[in-house]
Amino acid sequence: DEADMKMGPEFGIGFDYFITKDLALGLDGSYVIMTSNESDDLKAKTMQFGVHGKYFIPTGGQFMPYLNLGVGMYNRKIELSGDLADFFGEDNFSDNAFGFTAGVGAEYKVSPMVGIGVMGLYNYTMGEFKPEVDGEEVTLLDDWNYISFKGAVTFYFPMAK
């Protein structure tokens, strides 16, 4: 029987370098905690590090919608407590997987140096989460894909010419 997880808090950071006025390449990292709908004894935690590209759709104003695509590595971890930890004889299982992100966002430039915005991303990780329990692989989650929503404050630093 597989776990039914619900959305939880996410914390992250990202850095973008504009190679043109409409195209940025960047680095990102995030940490997500999800809890089970079925048991308080089960948590799923994901740490992600990756690279991304953003295409800002030209609007000619301070409102800047964009498309985001990225790739990265995901550390996927299940933490067990109580009866579940007793049943499995372990309190956590983890693995690493390659993954992709795709999403949309919008930013509003409050000033030439500061922007505020929102972004929604679909995170797709490759492969089932199948830890080994007593010498046998057990499928705890058939997929580790999730949607994330983020609010952001962006600081712009002008480059010397």
Side-chain angles (χ1 to χ4, degrees), residues 81-104:
S81 58
D83 292 338
L84 277 177
D86 293 342
F87 177 78
F88 284 104
E90 299 275 342
D91 62 357
N92 71 73
F93 301 99
S94 67
D95 74 356
N96 294 303
F98 185 72
F100 303 94
T101 60
V104 296

Side-chain angles (χ1 to χ4, degrees), residues 22-106:
D22 299 331
L23 188 62
L25 297 177
L27 302 172
D28 55 79
S30 64
Y31 182 70
V32 180
I33 303 167
M34 294 178 276
T35 56
S36 172
N37 280 318
E38 300 163 2
S39 171
D40 291 334
D41 293 342
L42 175 65
K43 288 186 178 154
K45 298 182 177 182
T46 308
M47 195 175 329
Q48 173 270 334
F49 296 99
V51 297
H52 63 264
K54 290 181 181 174
Y55 172 68
F56 287 83
I57 300 164
T59 62
Q62 277 112 310
F63 178 73
M64 302 171 9
Y66 62 87
L67 304 173
N68 187 99
L69 289 175
V71 297
M73 286 302 296
Y74 292 75
N75 175 266
R76 309 181 296 185
K77 183 176 187 178
I78 292 278
E79 289 186 354
L80 306 170
S81 58
D83 292 338
L84 277 177
D86 293 342
F87 177 78
F88 284 104
E90 299 275 342
D91 62 357
N92 71 73
F93 301 99
S94 67
D95 74 356
N96 294 303
F98 185 72
F100 303 94
T101 60
V104 296

Side-chain angles (χ1 to χ4, degrees), residues 17 26 38 58-59 70 77 84 86 114 122 132 139 150 156 158:
Y17 177 77
E38 300 163 2
T59 62
K77 183 176 187 178
L84 277 177
D86 293 342
V114 178
Y122 180 74
E132 197 169 290
T139 302
K150 304 174 186 185
Y156 291 88

